[in-house]
Structure formats: structure tokens, C-alpha cells
Amino acid sequence: MKANCWSYVWGLLCMPADVLLSTLTGECVHDSFSSGGPKVCVVGSGPAGFYTAQHLIRVLPVMVDIYERLPVPFGLVRFGVAPDHPEVKNVINTFTQTAKHSNCSFYGNVNVGKDVSVEELKQAYHAVILSYGAEGNRSMGVPGEDLAGVYSAKDFVGWYNGLPSCQKLSPDLSCETAVILGQGNVAVDVARILLSPIDILKKTDITQPALAALAESQVRRVLIVGRRGPIQVAYVPRPRKRLTELLLKTALEVPDEKEQERRNKASRMWAFRFFRSPVEILTNPDSSRIAGIRLAVNRLEGSGERARAVLTGEVEDVSCGLVISSIGYKSIPIDPSVPFDSRQAIVPNKMGRVQQATGLYCSGWLKTGPTGVIATTMNNSFDTARSLMEDMESGTVDISAAKPGSQSINSLLKKRGVKPVIFSDWEKIDSVETSRGEARGKPREKLLTVEEMLQVAHK
Ligand SMILES: Cc1cc2nc3c(=O)[nH]c(=O)nc-3n(C[C@H](O)[C@H](O)[C@H](O)COP(=O)(O)OP(=O)(O)OC[C@H]3O[C@@H](n4cnc5c(N)ncnc54)[C@H](O)[C@@H]3O)c2cc1C
Ligand SMILES: *[C@@H]1O[C@H](CO)[C@@H](O)[C@H](O)[C@H]1NC(C)=O
Ligand SMILES: *[C@@H]1O[C@H](CO)[C@@H](O)[C@H](O)[C@H]1NC(C)=O
Ligand SMILES: *[C@@H]1O[C@H](CO)[C@@H](O)[C@H](O)[C@H]1NC(C)=O
């Protein structure tokens, strides 16, 4: 597989990056900039942060600094993308090239909104681009949601992918049946990880504690529950549609005799359950462990993509020991000075320009909401970079006066006792992780705590 390759459909379809890039760039290089050139900073080092930075430094003589909360870069490419889809992570090669460009710097371990404010960044830079993703969860709003044995997919994914804040999750996998609420790509990732043979998983960069827990797992049956029907699942932007079609084909096709026999012998199975909404998590009377879930039976009103699920009044109880709610991610505000639309959970913007805030931009999931694949994020990040370039050219963003950039921010951070992790520090972490992985026949063994990451980075 080529290094330069974006996976569109959770790994089904790839396209070389340069084909896209040549159609998307084409702006001229400006010569009217102040001495030293404009200074721009990006908040967040996921795909949105890196693609926005990449587009800016390829086209303009600007300096771009990327600030990241964690000591390690790449956002959901590291902490979201499933470990058994390594080809998706090839985008890291492109991001690394960007980070090593002489006009780009990476500062990890800097929590914007806490260690430094957006206002301080605006003082130090000509423009600030917010690309900090969607790190909040949506709750189901049903009784029992907080019981042991009920997890959000976000935390479950963070657990098996080594997100430090999720390591204490250690989910109980001693039950036979797991119910996943929601039928998107993430739900399917979680189902696959729960059911994959350990021999496959142990060759991936899944964390060692997750591998150990999955090796002991008793989970045999996974139900993927959705409010509406197969047609509504299938009606989503193309990338998801392809995946879903594939799944539906497997789920709905009447198997021939040989296939039926194979399925009967299978030790593990999964199924979609359509037209069901969660009502309540059920417990055994004598314990706080979950015993099952009560689902409301829905019918559809209207047809096609717009059909609404309406309750029929009927309910159905499903016994299970594990419930994972995969009903979406959600952006959260990180700084009170930044406009935030809490209904849509995005920063309100026009083509990436934050409304009523000159010099402030956004890209990625913070701009669009948590939908789409890495390629979607790339497109919308390039759009934001283009908006900023237009504004610098038109004078809407004033770049005539020199700005201090990272110099002033670094001295603020120093005063506050924050020591950033620069890209060469990350490379130390990377090399420790890959050599620990090598010893186990895995591509990488991730460090699992911020403390250990910092220790290796600042050695
Ligand atoms: C479970 C899961 C699996 C996925 N699998 C695939 C797949 O296989 N293929 C595919 O194409 N797409 C996949 N996607 C979609 C893809 O991950 C997103 O499109 C993309 O990561 C969005 O990029 P982003 O930069 O907006 O957000 P993120 O990737 O979340 O990056 C945001 C970054 O900002 C940082 N940050 C947060 N708060 C702060 C702060 N206060 N200060 C500084 N930094 C901060 C975060 O630490 C993070 O590094 C998946 C998504 C999920 C959730
Ligand atoms: C980096 O930016 C400076 C202006 O700040 C510019 O002169 C230089 O050409 C840029 N370097 C590259 C490699 O693009
Ligand atoms: C997500 O939900 C969990 C459990 O409901 C909660 O502990 C956690 O604080 C939430 N995280 C965010 C970022 O809202
Ligand atoms: C990204 O943009 C290109 C060019 O505009 C387009 O052809 C492609 O379909 C877009 N991809 C996604 C996933 O939105």
C-alpha cells in the first residue's frame, strides 16, 4: 500500500493524496507580507489541524504553530481509527512531513483554554484556527445510563486505543451478549473489535490491557440496535453508504445451505436490530450489575431518508451484560471568549470564518459537527485555509504589523510551569512505542499515561 493514501470508507477505498492536492491548490504566492511573514496558529493536531496547516504552508510564506492538548499528535487517527485498519493511519506520514516543514512547529502538552487562552493566542498571532475536534459525549437520557456495564462508544474506543483518560474504564466483558446502540461506522468498529479473533488483534497496535481483556472476553453475541430501518441507515453520504451496503448484504441476504451451515457453526455472531430505541437499562433486583435493556419498538412515519421513528407502545427486553451507546460525538466550548452554538454543538462559522470574530477560524469536526471521514475533514480544512488566505489578501486580516508568535506564548507557558512537547520529543515517544511493539510483534505498543509520555519526551 502506498504511503500517501486516504481511506475513504473506513478502509474500503483509497485515493492518492497528490491527485486531490493538485486539484485543490493553485493559489499564487503572495509577496506583500510583512517582514518575517504572517504568523498563524492552529489549535488541535488531528486531521483538521494538520490539513489546515499543510495547505497554508504549501501555498504561502507563513509560519504555522500547532498547539495540542496531549503530548502526542494526530487526534482520532491515533485514538479513534480502529487498530485493525492500519492503512487508514498512513495519513500520519503526510502529517509528519507537515510537522517537519521548516515553517511549521508542533507544541504538544498545551491545553488551550486552560494553559493559554484563545485571547492570548489572538494577541500573539495574526490568525487563530480552532481545530480541536469533538471530545464531548452525547447521553442517551435513559434511566440506568450511569450503571456499571454501560459505556459510551467514545470511552470504549478510547480505552482500546490507549487514550490516557479512558484507561481506567477496564470494561467487564464477562457476559455473553453485548448491545450497541447506534448503527454508524463507530458502532461497527466496536462490534468488530468485540468479535475479532485475538490472533488478528494481537498483530495490531491495540493496547496490551485491551488485548488481555478481549482474550478473556465471554462476549459471543453483539446486537447493533437502531431507531429506524435499513433504508435509513443506508441513506447517508456516500462513504458510509458503501460500508452499510456491504453490511446489509451480509445481514439481509438469504444464505445458501453451505453459508447457513458455516453460520450455525460460528462461535460468535452479530446482528442488526432495527426499529428499536432504548427505554431503560435493566438490573437484577439483588445487584447493581446490568441484566439487560428495555427497547421500545418503533414504526416509521413517512418514507425514505426522512422517515421518522415513532413509538408503537410495545416494548421488548433484551438480556445483556454490556451496553455501549454509540450515538455520536459532540464538540464542547473550551474558552468563554469564543462564540459557540450549543444547539448544534459547533463554533458558528461561514466557510470556516468564526462569526463576529475577526482573525478567528475553525476547521474539522468543530466546524461541521462530528460527521464524515478523514477525507471530508481534509476538504473542509482546505476550505478554511482558503478563507484565511483570502482574508489576508483582502486586508480583512491585518498582517502589516509583526507579531511575536510562539516566542511570547512559550514565555507565558514557561511562567505557568507548562513544558511543551515539540515534534522531536514526540519522535522519542514514537520510537519507544515502536520498539516496545516490535518486541511483541505489533506495529506499536502505546504509552498509556500522560506522565510516562512526558517522561520519555523530556528525557
Ligand atoms: C471511533 C472513530 C473511528 C474513525 N475511523 C475512521 C476511519 O477508519 N477512516 C476515516 O477516514 N475516518 C475515521 N474517523 C473519522 C476521523 O477520525 C475524523 O474525520 C477526524 O479525526 C476529525 O478530525 P478533527 O481534527 O476535526 O478532530 P480530532 O481528530 O478529534 O482532533 C482534535 C485534536 O484536538 C486536540 N484538542 C482537543 N481539545 C484541545 C485543547 N483544548 N487544546 C489543544 N488541543 C485540543 C485533541 O487532543 C485532538 O488531538 C473515525 C472517527 C471515530 C470517532
Ligand atoms: C517560510 O516562510 C518564510 C516567511 O516567513 C518564507 O520566506 C520562506 O520561503 C518559507 N519557507 C518555505 C520552505 O516555504
Ligand atoms: C462523558 O460521559 C461520561 C459518563 O457519562 C462522563 O463521566 C464524562 O465526564 C463525559 N465526558 C465529557 C467530556 O462530557
Ligand atoms: C473532497 O473534495 C474533492 C474536490 O472538491 C471531491 O472530489 C471529493 O468528493 C471530496 N471528498 C469528500 C469525501 O467530501
Side-chain angles (χ1 to χ4, degrees):
M1 173 106 21
K2 267 205 250 152
N4 248 350
C5 171
W6 270 276
S7 284
Y8 275 71
V9 188
W10 266 224
L12 284 181
L13 175 74
C14 284
M15 182 170 184
D18 296 327
V19 175
L20 266 178
L21 271 181
S22 59
T23 65
L24 290 169
T25 53
E27 286 89 339
C28 56
V29 173
H30 299 229
D31 52 14
S32 57
F33 289 156
S34 67
S35 63
K39 293 195 170 81
V40 171
C41 78
V42 169
V43 177
S45 69
F50 269 108
Y51 281 127
T52 311
Q54 169 187 320
H55 202 60
L56 289 170
I57 56 173
R58 283 209 184 162
V59 178
L60 293 176
V62 291
M63 305 295 285
V64 180
D65 295 332
I66 302 176
Y67 293 95
E68 163 63 48
R69 182 170 59 81
L70 290 165
V72 295
F74 312 135
L76 286 170
V77 179
R78 177 180 165 106
F79 293 118
V81 171
D84 59 342
H85 282 169
E87 71 288 350
V88 178
K89 302 186 194 198
N90 288 337
V91 292
I92 286 176
N93 299 327
T94 311
F95 299 163
T96 299
Q97 278 175 22
T98 298
K100 292 184 147 197
H101 190 284
S102 51
N103 283 359
C104 184
S105 303
F106 172 80
Y107 299 103
N109 192 37
V110 179
N111 190 346
V112 173
K114 288 223 171 78
D115 298 332
V116 61
S117 70
V118 171
E119 198 47 50
E120 286 164 338
L121 292 175
K122 284 181 76 179
Q123 296 287 325
Y125 291 89
H126 293 101
V128 176
I129 302 159
L130 302 171
S131 315
Y132 63 80
E135 304 213 310
N137 12 307
R138 292 182 185 281
S139 67
M140 298 186 284
V142 302
E145 195 167 359
D146 301 326
L147 289 168
V150 185
Y151 309 100
S152 75
K154 183 176 152 291
D155 291 344
F156 192 80
V157 168
W159 169 69
Y160 66 63
N161 276 332
L163 187 63
S165 58
C166 295
Q167 292 314 296
K168 57 188 181 307
L169 196 76
S170 44
D172 184 346
L173 305 178
S174 63
C175 60
E176 285 216 344
T177 303
V179 166
I180 302 177
L181 300 165
Q183 296 183 323
N185 283 317
V186 175
V188 174
D189 279 352
V190 169
R192 217 178 47 252
I193 295 300
L194 280 172
L195 295 176
S196 288
I198 284 298
D199 284 343
I200 291 180
L201 294 179
K202 74 181 187 199
K203 299 191 187 95
T204 73
D205 69 2
I206 192 167
T207 67
Q208 209 55 34
L211 196 59
L214 288 162
E216 297 294 311
S217 168
Q218 299 299 310
V219 176
R220 297 283 169 267
R221 253 162 55 98
V222 176
L223 289 184
I224 309 177
V225 174
R227 277 185 312 125
R228 304 193 295 171
I231 303 296
Q232 290 73 38
V233 176
Y235 184 86
V236 275
R238 198 180 152 66
R240 190 146 137 199
K241 191 170 156 214
R242 291 259 321 248
L243 173 81
T244 318
E245 276 169 3
L246 188 80
L247 285 167
L248 290 177
K249 191 169 167 291
T250 331
L252 301 179
E253 225 172 46
V254 180
D256 60 22
E257 212 172 289
K258 210 170 122 206
E259 174 62 14
Q260 192 56 54
E261 198 185 304
R262 194 184 70 83
R263 288 190 194 177
N264 290 344
K265 281 202 204 125
S267 57
R268 298 178 165 196
M269 60 86 71
W270 65 270
F272 278 128
R273 184 78 123 231
F274 295 110
F275 308 113
R276 299 287 185 276
S277 315
V279 177
E280 184 182 357
I281 309 293
L282 307 171
T283 49
N284 284 322
D286 53 340
S287 85
S288 62
R289 269 204 60 79
I290 79 164
I293 183 167
R294 178 158 299 161
L295 300 171
V297 181
N298 302 326
R299 63 182 170 76
L300 286 185
E301 222 161 61
S303 62
E305 153 238 348
R306 284 166 183 269
R308 282 193 324 125
V310 223
L311 299 176
T312 59
E314 253 179 88
V315 296
E316 171 187 278
D317 291 350
V318 176
S319 305
C320 64
L322 180 63
V323 171
I324 297 173
S325 71
S326 181
I327 51 175
Y329 289 53
K330 171 175 138 183
S331 292
I332 47 183
I334 57 163
D335 188 307
S337 76
V338 178
F340 194 80
D341 176 341
S342 27
R343 202 181 50 83
Q344 293 190 70
I346 58 170
V347 167
N349 72 91
K350 287 215 168 79
M351 285 295 275
R353 297 176 177 94
V354 178
Q355 279 168 287
Q356 275 130 28
T358 310
L360 196 58
Y361 296 80
C362 60
S363 63
W365 275 12
L366 180 63
K367 170 189 181 184
T368 61
T371 59
V373 289
I374 295 172
T376 331
T377 300
M378 176 187 75
N379 277 1
N380 91 51
S381 301
F382 287 176
D383 288 342
T384 293
R386 237 177 265 122
S387 293
L388 171 54
M389 294 188 295
E390 277 169 32
D391 292 351
M392 291 199 279
E393 188 152 25
S394 71
T396 312
V397 167
D398 182 9
I399 50 171
S400 58
K403 290 271 195 172
S406 61
Q407 229 184 348
S408 72
I409 298 302
N410 274 321
S411 66
L412 275 181
L413 291 173
K414 196 167 179 187
K415 264 190 241 156
R416 293 170 188 169
V418 178
K419 192 168 179 200
V421 169
I422 61 172
F423 205 74
S424 59
D425 295 334
W426 148 247
E427 289 179 313
K428 292 189 227 164
I429 298 175
D430 186 37
S431 112
V432 166
E433 288 186 342
T434 42
S435 60
R436 286 189 192 177
E438 216 169 310
R440 294 187 154 126
K442 299 165 81 175
R444 146 185 329 270
E445 190 63 57
K446 291 176 185 169
L447 303 189
L448 299 179
T449 66
V450 166
E451 292 69 35
E452 194 179 7
M453 291 171 180
L454 292 178
Q455 217 170 39
V456 172
H458 293 146
K459 196 150 52 186

